Amino acid sequence: MIYLDYTATTPVDDEILDTYIKSTKTFFANSSSIHMLGQRSNHMIEVCSQTIFDCLDIKNHNIIYTTNATEANNIGILGYCNKYHGQGKKIITTKIEHASVFNVFKSLENDFDVCYLDINQNGLVDLDKLEKEMDKNVVLISIMWTNNIIGTIQNVKEIINIVKRYKTAKLHVDCVQGICKVKPDFDFNDIDMFTISSHKIYGPKGIAALLVKRSIELNPIIYGSNAQFGLKPGTMDVALISAFAKAIKKYTVLIDKNREYVKRLWLRLYEGLKNNKKIVINTPLDNISYYIMNISIPGVKGETTIHKLENYEIYISTGSACSSKIEKPEKTVLALTKSNDLALSAVRISLSFLTKDEEIDEFIKVMELI
Ligand code: PMP
């Protein structure tokens, strides 16, 4: 089997699984219980949160643990828009956001003037356009860091500088595909809200987080107890949180090493595919994470390519796993290439430090055959 779908999810790291098992046995008590066992669980959560704050070097954010990044994006964006809609009626995002951001903005179209920024041929958000769209009426901007379909890295530093000039505007950044994979050239302390997820970084599924500046209040979209500022009430899983913190701690220090490794693989893949006449390589060459390569085989639906590769026990995706059953032009590839054909025939290969040279070579060989 050759698994090249690490952007969809990663296998759990043994050491992280071990942390989970130990923690689930030790900290089984409900962290909301006021007895000593409960308070031990609560303390463990605080220790994990501090680990995450230290790894990301953040000082002024609260952390809200969620089930996945989809939930975190919803809690942040809807929570902010519901709370601060009186301050302005305009919100800005991009055409290339993950569905868990994009569709939240779609759902707000009745209440807000929503702007979807385009990307240029390098896969980058047009920042001149962002500047032009900014005014006193803007309450929220959500722009992702690393794209999950084509792998481009947005200029978050410059976006922060633009947004900072407007007092009422706040910035949300989906950091799911950047965290522990790309070294930030910006300061997380300058971002009002951001989202991270454990299962993309060799942690378990079922745990992610929204980090929100302490000065920001959000309206809840789920109601229950006042746990987690009332934003994600319900019993917390200390073991999942321990494993998530462990994943962040372990993989933060490996960012450079792993990125160098996958960059080499990415270039090997690029060299191997670029002369294949059937294939168009959609991912640009610059400002990319090197964990993702998006390609198209014009005239062949992405889904067909996926199933052909399955016969060789090679597993890749058409794009975001959550929407991959829907036969629509992939919206990020469409925004990048402006070609319906390329967007319908796009597939995504995604890499890991676990990927071997031989797997890349085998993939290249099979792509010649199918
Ligand atoms: N944002 C991005 C950029 C993603 O790649 C994903 C996962 N496909 C998500 C959000 C949603 O993450 P989760 O699976 O944790 O809900």
Side-chain angles (χ1 to χ4, degrees):
M1 174 190 88
I2 300 180
Y3 182 79
L4 296 171
D5 198 18
Y6 292 95
T7 297
T9 197
T10 55
V12 180
D13 176 306
D14 282 345
E15 211 185 329
I16 293 169
L17 185 58
D18 208 40
T19 300
Y20 175 87
I21 292 167
K22 282 191 186 128
S23 184
T24 205
K25 287 184 178 163
T26 314
F27 301 104
F28 69 90
N30 192 322
S31 61
S32 295
S33 297
I34 57 169
H35 52 65
M36 198 182 67
L37 282 187
Q39 286 316 294
R40 272 191 202 148
S41 292
N42 191 46
H43 178 68
M44 188 57 196
I45 293 173
E46 284 172 5
V47 170
C48 294
S49 300
Q50 194 55 50
T51 301
I52 296 175
F53 294 153
D54 291 345
C55 290
L56 303 179
D57 205 13
I58 45 180
K59 295 172 181 70
N60 298 312
H61 286 71
N62 288 322
I63 187 163
I64 296 135
Y65 293 104
T66 60
T67 305
N68 48 42
T70 298
E71 194 179 45
N73 283 336
N74 273 263
I75 290 174
I77 297 165
L78 289 177
Y80 191 84
C81 288
N82 291 345
K83 178 83 189 176
Y84 294 96
H85 68 277
Q87 290 190 1
K89 285 281 175 257
K90 186 167 176 183
I91 52 178
I92 299 175
T93 189
T94 78
K95 292 186 178 170
I96 65 162
E97 296 303 309
H98 184 267
S100 60
V101 169
F102 191 80
N103 288 339
V104 181
F105 275 77
K106 283 262 159 207
S107 81
L108 290 165
E109 282 179 358
N110 284 339
D111 302 319
F112 289 87
D113 170 15
V114 187
C115 167
Y116 300 93
L117 295 171
D118 231 320
I119 51 169
N120 60 25
Q121 65 207 25
N122 300 320
L124 299 181
V125 170
D126 185 339
L127 294 186
D128 288 339
K129 191 81 200 301
L130 174 62
E131 293 240 31
K132 282 195 193 109
E133 292 290 344
M134 289 298 296
D135 60 38
K136 283 190 192 135
N137 216 13
V138 176
V139 281
L140 185 69
I141 299 101
S142 180
I143 299 181
M144 72 201 316
W145 179 16
T146 303
N147 183 268
N148 56 307
I149 304 292
I150 54 174
T152 45
I153 301 172
Q154 300 303 325
N155 190 344
V156 174
K157 197 172 176 180
E158 194 45 40
I159 293 166
I160 290 169
N161 285 336
I162 294 170
V163 175
K164 253 188 187 168
R165 287 184 223 133
Y166 296 82
K167 267 213 168 91
T168 50
K170 298 284 179 251
L171 178 64
H172 168 263
V173 179
D174 179 338
C175 292
V176 168
Q177 297 293 349
I179 214 84
C180 292
K181 292 182 182 165
V182 179
K183 203 158 228 168
D185 64 350
F186 56 85
D187 187 341
F188 285 108
N189 291 297
D190 291 331
I191 302 179
D192 299 296
M193 299 192 275
F194 62 98
T195 308
I196 56 179
S197 187
S198 149
H199 74 101
K200 311 287 187 184
I201 53 167
Y202 312 94
K205 292 162 189 59
I207 186 79
L210 176 71
L211 289 112
V212 187
K213 265 197 191 156
R214 285 192 202 133
S215 53
I216 292 176
E217 279 181 56
L218 299 176
N219 274 357
I221 60 167
I222 304 163
Y223 291 88
S225 71
N226 61 3
Q228 302 211 77
F229 315 97
L231 294 169
K232 171 66 183 166
T235 306
M236 297 170 79
D237 189 332
V238 187
L240 282 178
I241 294 169
S242 307
F244 189 17
K246 173 84 186 174
I248 292 181
K249 191 170 180 186
K250 179 164 180 180
Y251 287 100
T252 297
V253 292
L254 293 171
I255 292 177
D256 287 339
K257 182 169 172 253
N258 288 345
R259 191 154 183 264
E260 273 314 300
Y261 181 82
V262 295
K263 181 176 177 180
R264 193 181 56 73
L265 291 181
W266 193 96
L267 293 171
R268 189 181 185 99
L269 182 61
Y270 180 81
E271 285 305 315
L273 294 181
K274 75 174 189 207
N275 295 324
N276 183 329
K277 298 226 160 33
K278 289 190 303 240
I279 293 177
V280 175
I281 298 177
N282 299 318
T283 293
L285 290 172
D286 296 318
N287 300 308
I288 53 169
S289 81
Y290 294 110
Y291 280 89
I292 295 170
M293 185 186 289
N294 195 292
I295 63 171
S296 292
I297 307 175
V300 182
K301 273 190 299 187
E303 201 187 319
T304 308
T305 304
I306 305 297
H307 293 309
K308 280 186 187 169
L309 287 170
E310 240 169 14
N311 294 331
Y312 295 86
E313 291 191 55
I314 296 177
Y315 302 100
I316 62 167
S317 269
T318 48
S320 190
C322 341
S323 51
S324 58
K325 291 198 185 77
I326 308 163
E327 250 183 55
K328 279 203 299 200
E330 208 306 306
K331 70 176 171 36
T332 301
V333 179
L334 188 61
L336 176 72
T337 63
K338 319 283 184 242
S339 155
N340 229 35
D341 189 14
L342 290 178
L344 276 168
S345 57
V347 293
R348 176 189 70 191
I349 305 126
S350 51
L351 311 175
S352 160
F353 69 92
L354 296 168
T355 309
K356 302 270 176 295
D357 287 32
E358 306 84 71
E359 294 180 311
I360 297 293
D361 296 345
E362 178 67 13
F363 178 78
I364 294 166
K365 201 173 90 195
V366 171
M367 287 308 284
E368 297 281 348
L369 302 175
I370 65 167

